[in-house]
Amino acid sequence: MLSFVYIGIYWNNHHHMLHAATKVSGPMLWANLHLLFWLSLFPFVTGWMGENHFAAVPSALYGLVLLMAAIAYWVLEQAIIASEGSGSVLKRAVGRDWKGKLSPVLYGTAIAATFWAPWIAQAIYVFVAILWLVPDPRIERALHRGES
């Protein structure tokens, strides 16, 4: 269920982020494909983790895939900003992006925690999902300001 929630979170935020783009570039397409690759691994690592009752190595790999997806999302975000320019809607919307900076730190912490307290790792994975559950309203606000 958690992986389904993560896919939904990425889908919603990806939709909002791409809605802020006014053009498409080659680097954006490659960055998007990079994100899709990491998201495509969710079923595999979810299944492996479940089959092994949340053992350390499968749980750590699950966290690594979450971390790499977060990094890929950031790379896509940066590719869009680079394509759109410093005055882009997305650049204004993400601002300091505290959630985007905190999430990889939490994933790294969870990966390490799997080897001494697997339940802490799982709790961190759930916490990050809750943190992102609501689609990022910053992009919607920036889009509406641009239309006014």
Side-chain angles (χ1 to χ4, degrees), residues 64-76:
L64 180 64
V65 169
L66 290 174
L67 173 62
M68 295 307 296
I71 291 168
Y73 185 87
W74 178 83
V75 167
L76 176 57

Side-chain angles (χ1 to χ4, degrees), residues 1-3 45-63 66 110-111 113-126:
M1 184 151 153
L2 181 60
S3 292
V45 293
T46 301
W48 192 40
M49 184 174 62
E51 289 169 2
N52 290 285
H53 308 286
F54 303 96
V57 172
S59 292
L61 186 60
Y62 182 79
L66 290 174
I111 291 166
T114 61
F115 296 102
W116 55 271
W119 68 271
I120 291 175
Q122 297 303 319
I124 292 171
Y125 298 150
V126 169

Side-chain angles (χ1 to χ4, degrees), residues 23-67:
K23 56 188 169 192
V24 177
S25 69
M28 286 169 55
L29 292 173
W30 283 107
N32 199 46
L33 190 59
H34 178 230
L35 173 60
L36 183 59
F37 169 75
W38 291 106
L39 295 179
S40 75
L41 295 179
F42 277 32
F44 167 74
V45 293
T46 301
W48 192 40
M49 184 174 62
E51 289 169 2
N52 290 285
H53 308 286
F54 303 96
V57 172
S59 292
L61 186 60
Y62 182 79
L64 180 64
V65 169
L66 290 174
L67 173 62

